[in-house]
Amino acid sequence: MADAASDEITLVVDRSVAVVLFEFLSRTVDDADGEALLDFIDDEAEIPALWALLAGLESVLTEPMAEDYERRVLAAREAVMKRFGGAFSGKGED
């Protein structure tokens, strides 16, 4: 059996991206054991994998415990949109 440490990876993402992901995952995966995503998963292993990602983000982020968490999430969302644009930017525009 492989050593658990050798099975780990390091993922580097912008802090704003991490905050936005944390907020999304905590809303959709942590609440009601991921029921909000049932229509979007192909295999039941995907929910525990997302829980693991959420736990990893929670272990490195200080924002979720901040008194002004909501403001930080809004700022992180703005930073992500500024850097990457939005998936739905321009929808409905002629």
Side-chain angles (χ1 to χ4, degrees), residues 46-85:
E46 294 168 354
I47 296 296
L50 291 171
W51 286 334
L53 179 58
L54 176 61
L57 291 168
E58 187 173 32
S59 74
V60 297
L61 291 174
T62 57
E63 286 82 354
M65 298 301 151
E67 205 170 286
D68 61 344
Y69 174 67
E70 292 83 11
R71 184 194 62 76
R72 291 179 186 217
V73 170
L74 290 174
R77 288 174 177 161
E78 288 178 19
V80 168
M81 291 295 290
K82 184 176 181 179
R83 182 170 179 196
F84 299 107

PDB file of all heavy atoms in Angstrom, residues 46-85:
ATOM      1  N   GLU A  46     -17.890  11.704  -5.411  1.00  0.00           N
ATOM      2  CA  GLU A  46     -17.620  13.114  -5.690  1.00  0.00           C
ATOM      3  C   GLU A  46     -17.955  14.016  -4.509  1.00  0.00           C
ATOM      4  O   GLU A  46     -17.249  15.003  -4.270  1.00  0.00           O
ATOM      5  CB  GLU A  46     -18.370  13.550  -6.951  1.00  0.00           C
ATOM      6  CG  GLU A  46     -17.838  12.851  -8.187  1.00  0.00           C
ATOM      7  CD  GLU A  46     -18.701  13.015  -9.422  1.00  0.00           C
ATOM      8  OE1 GLU A  46     -19.806  13.580  -9.331  1.00  0.00           O
ATOM      9  OE2 GLU A  46     -18.251  12.563 -10.481  1.00  0.00           O
ATOM     10  N   ILE A  47     -18.994  13.701  -3.753  1.00  0.00           N
ATOM     11  CA  ILE A  47     -19.358  14.533  -2.597  1.00  0.00           C
ATOM     12  C   ILE A  47     -18.278  14.460  -1.512  1.00  0.00           C
ATOM     13  O   ILE A  47     -17.803  15.501  -1.060  1.00  0.00           O
ATOM     14  CB  ILE A  47     -20.760  14.174  -2.056  1.00  0.00           C
ATOM     15  CG1 ILE A  47     -21.835  14.483  -3.096  1.00  0.00           C
ATOM     16  CG2 ILE A  47     -21.039  14.897  -0.741  1.00  0.00           C
ATOM     17  CD1 ILE A  47     -21.982  15.953  -3.453  1.00  0.00           C
ATOM     18  N   PRO A  48     -17.814  13.277  -1.103  1.00  0.00           N
ATOM     19  CA  PRO A  48     -16.724  13.249  -0.120  1.00  0.00           C
ATOM     20  C   PRO A  48     -15.435  13.910  -0.634  1.00  0.00           C
ATOM     21  O   PRO A  48     -14.690  14.513   0.139  1.00  0.00           O
ATOM     22  CB  PRO A  48     -16.501  11.759   0.155  1.00  0.00           C
ATOM     23  CG  PRO A  48     -17.757  11.091  -0.250  1.00  0.00           C
ATOM     24  CD  PRO A  48     -18.361  11.933  -1.334  1.00  0.00           C
ATOM     25  N   ALA A  49     -15.200  13.834  -1.945  1.00  0.00           N
ATOM     26  CA  ALA A  49     -14.031  14.512  -2.505  1.00  0.00           C
ATOM     27  C   ALA A  49     -14.178  16.028  -2.342  1.00  0.00           C
ATOM     28  O   ALA A  49     -13.204  16.721  -2.014  1.00  0.00           O
ATOM     29  CB  ALA A  49     -13.851  14.140  -3.972  1.00  0.00           C
ATOM     30  N   LEU A  50     -15.377  16.531  -2.556  1.00  0.00           N
ATOM     31  CA  LEU A  50     -15.623  17.962  -2.358  1.00  0.00           C
ATOM     32  C   LEU A  50     -15.543  18.333  -0.886  1.00  0.00           C
ATOM     33  O   LEU A  50     -15.064  19.416  -0.540  1.00  0.00           O
ATOM     34  CB  LEU A  50     -16.975  18.362  -2.961  1.00  0.00           C
ATOM     35  CG  LEU A  50     -17.037  18.327  -4.490  1.00  0.00           C
ATOM     36  CD1 LEU A  50     -18.468  18.518  -4.977  1.00  0.00           C
ATOM     37  CD2 LEU A  50     -16.113  19.368  -5.086  1.00  0.00           C
ATOM     38  N   TRP A  51     -15.995  17.442   0.009  1.00  0.00           N
ATOM     39  CA  TRP A  51     -15.838  17.688   1.450  1.00  0.00           C
ATOM     40  C   TRP A  51     -14.363  17.820   1.800  1.00  0.00           C
ATOM     41  O   TRP A  51     -13.978  18.670   2.585  1.00  0.00           O
ATOM     42  CB  TRP A  51     -16.434  16.557   2.275  1.00  0.00           C
ATOM     43  CG  TRP A  51     -17.917  16.492   2.349  1.00  0.00           C
ATOM     44  CD1 TRP A  51     -18.810  17.528   2.202  1.00  0.00           C
ATOM     45  CD2 TRP A  51     -18.703  15.334   2.594  1.00  0.00           C
ATOM     46  NE1 TRP A  51     -20.095  17.068   2.347  1.00  0.00           N
ATOM     47  CE2 TRP A  51     -20.070  15.723   2.596  1.00  0.00           C
ATOM     48  CE3 TRP A  51     -18.401  13.995   2.820  1.00  0.00           C
ATOM     49  CZ2 TRP A  51     -21.107  14.827   2.809  1.00  0.00           C
ATOM     50  CZ3 TRP A  51     -19.439  13.096   3.037  1.00  0.00           C
ATOM     51  CH2 TRP A  51     -20.771  13.514   3.027  1.00  0.00           C
ATOM     52  N   ALA A  52     -13.540  16.952   1.217  1.00  0.00           N
ATOM     53  CA  ALA A  52     -12.096  16.995   1.482  1.00  0.00           C
ATOM     54  C   ALA A  52     -11.496  18.305   0.987  1.00  0.00           C
ATOM     55  O   ALA A  52     -10.643  18.901   1.663  1.00  0.00           O
ATOM     56  CB  ALA A  52     -11.395  15.799   0.833  1.00  0.00           C
ATOM     57  N   LEU A  53     -11.930  18.764  -0.178  1.00  0.00           N
ATOM     58  CA  LEU A  53     -11.468  20.053  -0.696  1.00  0.00           C
ATOM     59  C   LEU A  53     -11.901  21.184   0.230  1.00  0.00           C
ATOM     60  O   LEU A  53     -11.104  22.071   0.564  1.00  0.00           O
ATOM     61  CB  LEU A  53     -11.992  20.283  -2.116  1.00  0.00           C
ATOM     62  CG  LEU A  53     -11.601  21.600  -2.785  1.00  0.00           C
ATOM     63  CD1 LEU A  53     -10.090  21.766  -2.855  1.00  0.00           C
ATOM     64  CD2 LEU A  53     -12.221  21.683  -4.165  1.00  0.00           C
ATOM     65  N   LEU A  54     -13.138  21.156   0.686  1.00  0.00           N
ATOM     66  CA  LEU A  54     -13.639  22.160   1.622  1.00  0.00           C
ATOM     67  C   LEU A  54     -12.819  22.149   2.911  1.00  0.00           C
ATOM     68  O   LEU A  54     -12.420  23.207   3.404  1.00  0.00           O
ATOM     69  CB  LEU A  54     -15.119  21.904   1.923  1.00  0.00           C
ATOM     70  CG  LEU A  54     -15.781  22.808   2.959  1.00  0.00           C
ATOM     71  CD1 LEU A  54     -15.740  24.267   2.522  1.00  0.00           C
ATOM     72  CD2 LEU A  54     -17.211  22.351   3.207  1.00  0.00           C
ATOM     73  N   ALA A  55     -12.534  20.976   3.440  1.00  0.00           N
ATOM     74  CA  ALA A  55     -11.736  20.871   4.672  1.00  0.00           C
ATOM     75  C   ALA A  55     -10.322  21.403   4.455  1.00  0.00           C
ATOM     76  O   ALA A  55      -9.763  22.079   5.326  1.00  0.00           O
ATOM     77  CB  ALA A  55     -11.684  19.427   5.150  1.00  0.00           C
ATOM     78  N   GLY A  56      -9.753  21.124   3.296  1.00  0.00           N
ATOM     79  CA  GLY A  56      -8.424  21.643   2.986  1.00  0.00           C
ATOM     80  C   GLY A  56      -8.411  23.156   2.926  1.00  0.00           C
ATOM     81  O   GLY A  56      -7.502  23.808   3.450  1.00  0.00           O
ATOM     82  N   LEU A  57      -9.421  23.740   2.292  1.00  0.00           N
ATOM     83  CA  LEU A  57      -9.529  25.207   2.239  1.00  0.00           C
ATOM     84  C   LEU A  57      -9.724  25.779   3.634  1.00  0.00           C
ATOM     85  O   LEU A  57      -9.107  26.780   4.003  1.00  0.00           O
ATOM     86  CB  LEU A  57     -10.676  25.622   1.323  1.00  0.00           C
ATOM     87  CG  LEU A  57     -10.477  25.364  -0.165  1.00  0.00           C
ATOM     88  CD1 LEU A  57     -11.779  25.549  -0.921  1.00  0.00           C
ATOM     89  CD2 LEU A  57      -9.387  26.266  -0.720  1.00  0.00           C
ATOM     90  N   GLU A  58     -10.569  25.139   4.414  1.00  0.00           N
ATOM     91  CA  GLU A  58     -10.840  25.614   5.771  1.00  0.00           C
ATOM     92  C   GLU A  58      -9.583  25.586   6.643  1.00  0.00           C
ATOM     93  O   GLU A  58      -9.396  26.445   7.500  1.00  0.00           O
ATOM     94  CB  GLU A  58     -11.931  24.760   6.408  1.00  0.00           C
ATOM     95  CG  GLU A  58     -12.408  25.260   7.733  1.00  0.00           C
ATOM     96  CD  GLU A  58     -13.605  24.488   8.243  1.00  0.00           C
ATOM     97  OE1 GLU A  58     -13.728  23.273   7.972  1.00  0.00           O
ATOM     98  OE2 GLU A  58     -14.434  25.122   8.919  1.00  0.00           O
ATOM     99  N   SER A  59      -8.707  24.630   6.371  1.00  0.00           N
ATOM    100  CA  SER A  59      -7.491  24.509   7.185  1.00  0.00           C
ATOM    101  C   SER A  59      -6.456  25.591   6.889  1.00  0.00           C
ATOM    102  O   SER A  59      -5.575  25.827   7.710  1.00  0.00           O
ATOM    103  CB  SER A  59      -6.862  23.122   7.011  1.00  0.00           C
ATOM    104  OG  SER A  59      -6.226  23.014   5.750  1.00  0.00           O
ATOM    105  N   VAL A  60      -6.573  26.249   5.745  1.00  0.00           N
ATOM    106  CA  VAL A  60      -5.574  27.270   5.390  1.00  0.00           C
ATOM    107  C   VAL A  60      -6.124  28.691   5.343  1.00  0.00           C
ATOM    108  O   VAL A  60      -5.350  29.645   5.334  1.00  0.00           O
ATOM    109  CB  VAL A  60      -4.876  26.951   4.041  1.00  0.00           C
ATOM    110  CG1 VAL A  60      -4.091  25.655   4.134  1.00  0.00           C
ATOM    111  CG2 VAL A  60      -5.859  26.916   2.888  1.00  0.00           C
ATOM    112  N   LEU A  61      -7.432  28.839   5.307  1.00  0.00           N
ATOM    113  CA  LEU A  61      -8.022  30.176   5.222  1.00  0.00           C
ATOM    114  C   LEU A  61      -8.368  30.716   6.604  1.00  0.00           C
ATOM    115  O   LEU A  61      -8.874  29.986   7.454  1.00  0.00           O
ATOM    116  CB  LEU A  61      -9.297  30.147   4.372  1.00  0.00           C
ATOM    117  CG  LEU A  61      -9.130  29.893   2.879  1.00  0.00           C
ATOM    118  CD1 LEU A  61     -10.487  29.738   2.214  1.00  0.00           C
ATOM    119  CD2 LEU A  61      -8.328  31.002   2.227  1.00  0.00           C
ATOM    120  N   THR A  62      -8.118  31.993   6.787  1.00  0.00           N
ATOM    121  CA  THR A  62      -8.519  32.661   8.026  1.00  0.00           C
ATOM    122  C   THR A  62      -9.841  33.408   7.845  1.00  0.00           C
ATOM    123  O   THR A  62     -10.518  33.706   8.826  1.00  0.00           O
ATOM    124  CB  THR A  62      -7.435  33.661   8.474  1.00  0.00           C
ATOM    125  OG1 THR A  62      -7.200  34.603   7.415  1.00  0.00           O
ATOM    126  CG2 THR A  62      -6.142  32.951   8.827  1.00  0.00           C
ATOM    127  N   GLU A  63     -10.208  33.685   6.618  1.00  0.00           N
ATOM    128  CA  GLU A  63     -11.400  34.481   6.320  1.00  0.00           C
ATOM    129  C   GLU A  63     -12.690  33.915   6.918  1.00  0.00           C
ATOM    130  O   GLU A  63     -13.515  34.693   7.409  1.00  0.00           O
ATOM    131  CB  GLU A  63     -11.559  34.655   4.793  1.00  0.00           C
ATOM    132  CG  GLU A  63     -10.603  35.610   4.161  1.00  0.00           C
ATOM    133  CD  GLU A  63      -9.234  35.009   3.862  1.00  0.00           C
ATOM    134  OE1 GLU A  63      -8.978  33.846   4.256  1.00  0.00           O
ATOM    135  OE2 GLU A  63      -8.430  35.689   3.232  1.00  0.00           O
ATOM    136  N   PRO A  64     -12.919  32.597   6.875  1.00  0.00           N
ATOM    137  CA  PRO A  64     -14.189  32.094   7.406  1.00  0.00           C
ATOM    138  C   PRO A  64     -14.440  32.423   8.881  1.00  0.00           C
ATOM    139  O   PRO A  64     -15.587  32.471   9.305  1.00  0.00           O
ATOM    140  CB  PRO A  64     -14.081  30.577   7.206  1.00  0.00           C
ATOM    141  CG  PRO A  64     -13.178  30.441   6.034  1.00  0.00           C
ATOM    142  CD  PRO A  64     -12.163  31.541   6.209  1.00  0.00           C
ATOM    143  N   MET A  65     -13.404  32.670   9.632  1.00  0.00           N
ATOM    144  CA  MET A  65     -13.564  32.998  11.049  1.00  0.00           C
ATOM    145  C   MET A  65     -13.559  34.509  11.302  1.00  0.00           C
ATOM    146  O   MET A  65     -13.748  34.947  12.433  1.00  0.00           O
ATOM    147  CB  MET A  65     -12.453  32.351  11.880  1.00  0.00           C
ATOM    148  CG  MET A  65     -12.456  30.851  11.823  1.00  0.00           C
ATOM    149  SD  MET A  65     -14.047  30.227  12.409  1.00  0.00           S
ATOM    150  CE  MET A  65     -14.166  28.725  11.500  1.00  0.00           C
ATOM    151  N   ALA A  66     -13.372  35.280  10.254  1.00  0.00           N
ATOM    152  CA  ALA A  66     -13.298  36.732  10.414  1.00  0.00           C
ATOM    153  C   ALA A  66     -14.672  37.316  10.702  1.00  0.00           C
ATOM    154  O   ALA A  66     -15.695  36.838  10.202  1.00  0.00           O
ATOM    155  CB  ALA A  66     -12.720  37.375   9.158  1.00  0.00           C
ATOM    156  N   GLU A  67     -14.681  38.346  11.507  1.00  0.00           N
ATOM    157  CA  GLU A  67     -15.921  39.029  11.854  1.00  0.00           C
ATOM    158  C   GLU A  67     -16.606  39.615  10.621  1.00  0.00           C
ATOM    159  O   GLU A  67     -17.825  39.663  10.536  1.00  0.00           O
ATOM    160  CB  GLU A  67     -15.603  40.141  12.866  1.00  0.00           C
ATOM    161  CG  GLU A  67     -16.746  40.515  13.742  1.00  0.00           C
ATOM    162  CD  GLU A  67     -16.307  41.415  14.867  1.00  0.00           C
ATOM    163  OE1 GLU A  67     -15.667  40.924  15.809  1.00  0.00           O
ATOM    164  OE2 GLU A  67     -16.618  42.621  14.779  1.00  0.00           O
ATOM    165  N   ASP A  68     -15.808  40.032   9.647  1.00  0.00           N
ATOM    166  CA  ASP A  68     -16.342  40.647   8.428  1.00  0.00           C
ATOM    167  C   ASP A  68     -16.293  39.673   7.241  1.00  0.00           C
ATOM    168  O   ASP A  68     -16.028  40.062   6.113  1.00  0.00           O
ATOM    169  CB  ASP A  68     -15.585  41.933   8.106  1.00  0.00           C
ATOM    170  CG  ASP A  68     -14.099  41.702   7.858  1.00  0.00           C
ATOM    171  OD1 ASP A  68     -13.579  40.615   8.221  1.00  0.00           O
ATOM    172  OD2 ASP A  68     -13.458  42.601   7.299  1.00  0.00           O
ATOM    173  N   TYR A  69     -16.587  38.413   7.515  1.00  0.00           N
ATOM    174  CA  TYR A  69     -16.513  37.360   6.495  1.00  0.00           C
ATOM    175  C   TYR A  69     -17.315  37.705   5.241  1.00  0.00           C
ATOM    176  O   TYR A  69     -16.818  37.555   4.124  1.00  0.00           O
ATOM    177  CB  TYR A  69     -16.984  36.025   7.077  1.00  0.00           C
ATOM    178  CG  TYR A  69     -17.075  34.914   6.064  1.00  0.00           C
ATOM    179  CD1 TYR A  69     -15.928  34.395   5.465  1.00  0.00           C
ATOM    180  CD2 TYR A  69     -18.305  34.383   5.675  1.00  0.00           C
ATOM    181  CE1 TYR A  69     -16.002  33.380   4.531  1.00  0.00           C
ATOM    182  CE2 TYR A  69     -18.391  33.369   4.747  1.00  0.00           C
ATOM    183  CZ  TYR A  69     -17.234  32.868   4.174  1.00  0.00           C
ATOM    184  OH  TYR A  69     -17.311  31.861   3.241  1.00  0.00           O
ATOM    185  N   GLU A  70     -18.543  38.165   5.403  1.00  0.00           N
ATOM    186  CA  GLU A  70     -19.383  38.469   4.246  1.00  0.00           C
ATOM    187  C   GLU A  70     -18.740  39.521   3.348  1.00  0.00           C
ATOM    188  O   GLU A  70     -18.771  39.408   2.120  1.00  0.00           O
ATOM    189  CB  GLU A  70     -20.782  38.936   4.682  1.00  0.00           C
ATOM    190  CG  GLU A  70     -21.612  37.851   5.337  1.00  0.00           C
ATOM    191  CD  GLU A  70     -21.315  37.671   6.833  1.00  0.00           C
ATOM    192  OE1 GLU A  70     -20.607  38.520   7.441  1.00  0.00           O
ATOM    193  OE2 GLU A  70     -21.782  36.675   7.400  1.00  0.00           O
ATOM    194  N   ARG A  71     -18.150  40.550   3.966  1.00  0.00           N
ATOM    195  CA  ARG A  71     -17.472  41.586   3.186  1.00  0.00           C
ATOM    196  C   ARG A  71     -16.275  40.993   2.452  1.00  0.00           C
ATOM    197  O   ARG A  71     -16.017  41.320   1.290  1.00  0.00           O
ATOM    198  CB  ARG A  71     -17.014  42.733   4.097  1.00  0.00           C
ATOM    199  CG  ARG A  71     -16.378  43.888   3.307  1.00  0.00           C
ATOM    200  CD  ARG A  71     -15.629  44.867   4.196  1.00  0.00           C
ATOM    201  NE  ARG A  71     -14.516  44.281   4.911  1.00  0.00           N
ATOM    202  CZ  ARG A  71     -13.322  43.970   4.371  1.00  0.00           C
ATOM    203  NH1 ARG A  71     -13.113  44.160   3.090  1.00  0.00           N
ATOM    204  NH2 ARG A  71     -12.360  43.475   5.104  1.00  0.00           N
ATOM    205  N   ARG A  72     -15.558  40.101   3.098  1.00  0.00           N
ATOM    206  CA  ARG A  72     -14.393  39.474   2.460  1.00  0.00           C
ATOM    207  C   ARG A  72     -14.798  38.587   1.288  1.00  0.00           C
ATOM    208  O   ARG A  72     -14.095  38.532   0.279  1.00  0.00           O
ATOM    209  CB  ARG A  72     -13.591  38.687   3.492  1.00  0.00           C
ATOM    210  CG  ARG A  72     -12.909  39.588   4.496  1.00  0.00           C
ATOM    211  CD  ARG A  72     -12.149  38.783   5.513  1.00  0.00           C
ATOM    212  NE  ARG A  72     -11.611  39.621   6.562  1.00  0.00           N
ATOM    213  CZ  ARG A  72     -10.427  39.417   7.127  1.00  0.00           C
ATOM    214  NH1 ARG A  72      -9.678  38.413   6.750  1.00  0.00           N
ATOM    215  NH2 ARG A  72     -10.006  40.210   8.076  1.00  0.00           N
ATOM    216  N   VAL A  73     -15.922  37.906   1.421  1.00  0.00           N
ATOM    217  CA  VAL A  73     -16.416  37.084   0.313  1.00  0.00           C
ATOM    218  C   VAL A  73     -16.773  37.976  -0.870  1.00  0.00           C
ATOM    219  O   VAL A  73     -16.411  37.680  -2.014  1.00  0.00           O
ATOM    220  CB  VAL A  73     -17.621  36.224   0.746  1.00  0.00           C
ATOM    221  CG1 VAL A  73     -18.293  35.565  -0.462  1.00  0.00           C
ATOM    222  CG2 VAL A  73     -17.194  35.166   1.754  1.00  0.00           C
ATOM    223  N   LEU A  74     -17.461  39.075  -0.606  1.00  0.00           N
ATOM    224  CA  LEU A  74     -17.815  40.011  -1.682  1.00  0.00           C
ATOM    225  C   LEU A  74     -16.565  40.555  -2.370  1.00  0.00           C
ATOM    226  O   LEU A  74     -16.504  40.631  -3.603  1.00  0.00           O
ATOM    227  CB  LEU A  74     -18.665  41.159  -1.141  1.00  0.00           C
ATOM    228  CG  LEU A  74     -20.082  40.792  -0.713  1.00  0.00           C
ATOM    229  CD1 LEU A  74     -20.758  41.991  -0.054  1.00  0.00           C
ATOM    230  CD2 LEU A  74     -20.901  40.287  -1.883  1.00  0.00           C
ATOM    231  N   ALA A  75     -15.560  40.914  -1.581  1.00  0.00           N
ATOM    232  CA  ALA A  75     -14.305  41.423  -2.150  1.00  0.00           C
ATOM    233  C   ALA A  75     -13.600  40.341  -2.967  1.00  0.00           C
ATOM    234  O   ALA A  75     -13.049  40.618  -4.044  1.00  0.00           O
ATOM    235  CB  ALA A  75     -13.398  41.937  -1.034  1.00  0.00           C
ATOM    236  N   ALA A  76     -13.618  39.114  -2.476  1.00  0.00           N
ATOM    237  CA  ALA A  76     -12.990  38.004  -3.198  1.00  0.00           C
ATOM    238  C   ALA A  76     -13.708  37.753  -4.517  1.00  0.00           C
ATOM    239  O   ALA A  76     -13.074  37.539  -5.553  1.00  0.00           O
ATOM    240  CB  ALA A  76     -12.993  36.747  -2.336  1.00  0.00           C
ATOM    241  N   ARG A  77     -15.034  37.795  -4.497  1.00  0.00           N
ATOM    242  CA  ARG A  77     -15.804  37.618  -5.739  1.00  0.00           C
ATOM    243  C   ARG A  77     -15.468  38.700  -6.757  1.00  0.00           C
ATOM    244  O   ARG A  77     -15.309  38.415  -7.952  1.00  0.00           O
ATOM    245  CB  ARG A  77     -17.300  37.625  -5.434  1.00  0.00           C
ATOM    246  CG  ARG A  77     -17.782  36.382  -4.725  1.00  0.00           C
ATOM    247  CD  ARG A  77     -19.220  36.510  -4.326  1.00  0.00           C
ATOM    248  NE  ARG A  77     -19.723  35.287  -3.713  1.00  0.00           N
ATOM    249  CZ  ARG A  77     -20.806  35.226  -2.966  1.00  0.00           C
ATOM    250  NH1 ARG A  77     -21.528  36.320  -2.749  1.00  0.00           N
ATOM    251  NH2 ARG A  77     -21.190  34.085  -2.445  1.00  0.00           N
ATOM    252  N   GLU A  78     -15.377  39.939  -6.294  1.00  0.00           N
ATOM    253  CA  GLU A  78     -15.019  41.042  -7.190  1.00  0.00           C
ATOM    254  C   GLU A  78     -13.624  40.831  -7.781  1.00  0.00           C
ATOM    255  O   GLU A  78     -13.409  41.066  -8.973  1.00  0.00           O
ATOM    256  CB  GLU A  78     -15.078  42.369  -6.444  1.00  0.00           C
ATOM    257  CG  GLU A  78     -16.480  42.836  -6.139  1.00  0.00           C
ATOM    258  CD  GLU A  78     -16.509  44.136  -5.346  1.00  0.00           C
ATOM    259  OE1 GLU A  78     -15.504  44.869  -5.333  1.00  0.00           O
ATOM    260  OE2 GLU A  78     -17.551  44.413  -4.732  1.00  0.00           O
ATOM    261  N   ALA A  79     -12.680  40.389  -6.951  1.00  0.00           N
ATOM    262  CA  ALA A  79     -11.315  40.154  -7.426  1.00  0.00           C
ATOM    263  C   ALA A  79     -11.271  39.041  -8.470  1.00  0.00           C
ATOM    264  O   ALA A  79     -10.560  39.146  -9.479  1.00  0.00           O
ATOM    265  CB  ALA A  79     -10.403  39.820  -6.243  1.00  0.00           C
ATOM    266  N   VAL A  80     -12.033  37.988  -8.238  1.00  0.00           N
ATOM    267  CA  VAL A  80     -12.082  36.881  -9.203  1.00  0.00           C
ATOM    268  C   VAL A  80     -12.690  37.359 -10.520  1.00  0.00           C
ATOM    269  O   VAL A  80     -12.174  37.053 -11.603  1.00  0.00           O
ATOM    270  CB  VAL A  80     -12.862  35.682  -8.619  1.00  0.00           C
ATOM    271  CG1 VAL A  80     -13.167  34.648  -9.693  1.00  0.00           C
ATOM    272  CG2 VAL A  80     -12.083  35.054  -7.466  1.00  0.00           C
ATOM    273  N   MET A  81     -13.779  38.106 -10.444  1.00  0.00           N
ATOM    274  CA  MET A  81     -14.407  38.620 -11.663  1.00  0.00           C
ATOM    275  C   MET A  81     -13.479  39.550 -12.423  1.00  0.00           C
ATOM    276  O   MET A  81     -13.405  39.495 -13.654  1.00  0.00           O
ATOM    277  CB  MET A  81     -15.709  39.342 -11.318  1.00  0.00           C
ATOM    278  CG  MET A  81     -16.806  38.423 -10.839  1.00  0.00           C
ATOM    279  SD  MET A  81     -17.357  37.277 -12.104  1.00  0.00           S
ATOM    280  CE  MET A  81     -18.182  38.421 -13.205  1.00  0.00           C
ATOM    281  N   LYS A  82     -12.760  40.387 -11.690  1.00  0.00           N
ATOM    282  CA  LYS A  82     -11.834  41.319 -12.332  1.00  0.00           C
ATOM    283  C   LYS A  82     -10.704  40.569 -13.020  1.00  0.00           C
ATOM    284  O   LYS A  82     -10.303  40.912 -14.128  1.00  0.00           O
ATOM    285  CB  LYS A  82     -11.271  42.281 -11.282  1.00  0.00           C
ATOM    286  CG  LYS A  82     -10.387  43.347 -11.855  1.00  0.00           C
ATOM    287  CD  LYS A  82      -9.948  44.329 -10.794  1.00  0.00           C
ATOM    288  CE  LYS A  82      -9.087  45.417 -11.401  1.00  0.00           C
ATOM    289  NZ  LYS A  82      -8.664  46.390 -10.391  1.00  0.00           N
ATOM    290  N   ARG A  83     -10.222  39.525 -12.372  1.00  0.00           N
ATOM    291  CA  ARG A  83      -9.083  38.776 -12.922  1.00  0.00           C
ATOM    292  C   ARG A  83      -9.490  37.836 -14.055  1.00  0.00           C
ATOM    293  O   ARG A  83      -8.800  37.722 -15.058  1.00  0.00           O
ATOM    294  CB  ARG A  83      -8.408  37.978 -11.810  1.00  0.00           C
ATOM    295  CG  ARG A  83      -7.202  37.221 -12.277  1.00  0.00           C
ATOM    296  CD  ARG A  83      -6.418  36.653 -11.142  1.00  0.00           C
ATOM    297  NE  ARG A  83      -5.271  35.920 -11.636  1.00  0.00           N
ATOM    298  CZ  ARG A  83      -4.573  35.083 -10.927  1.00  0.00           C
ATOM    299  NH1 ARG A  83      -4.868  34.879  -9.661  1.00  0.00           N
ATOM    300  NH2 ARG A  83      -3.553  34.446 -11.446  1.00  0.00           N
ATOM    301  N   PHE A  84     -10.617  37.136 -13.894  1.00  0.00           N
ATOM    302  CA  PHE A  84     -10.971  36.090 -14.837  1.00  0.00           C
ATOM    303  C   PHE A  84     -12.227  36.377 -15.674  1.00  0.00           C
ATOM    304  O   PHE A  84     -12.496  35.672 -16.642  1.00  0.00           O
ATOM    305  CB  PHE A  84     -11.202  34.767 -14.098  1.00  0.00           C
ATOM    306  CG  PHE A  84     -10.000  34.281 -13.357  1.00  0.00           C
ATOM    307  CD1 PHE A  84      -9.969  34.354 -11.976  1.00  0.00           C
ATOM    308  CD2 PHE A  84      -8.903  33.771 -14.011  1.00  0.00           C
ATOM    309  CE1 PHE A  84      -8.863  33.910 -11.259  1.00  0.00           C
ATOM    310  CE2 PHE A  84      -7.792  33.327 -13.321  1.00  0.00           C
ATOM    311  CZ  PHE A  84      -7.778  33.390 -11.946  1.00  0.00           C
ATOM    312  N   GLY A  85     -13.013  37.355 -15.256  1.00  0.00           N
ATOM    313  CA  GLY A  85     -14.291  37.565 -15.915  1.00  0.00           C
ATOM    314  C   GLY A  85     -15.305  36.574 -15.394  1.00  0.00           C
ATOM    315  O   GLY A  85     -14.986  35.693 -14.611  1.00  0.00           O
TER     316      GLY A  85
END
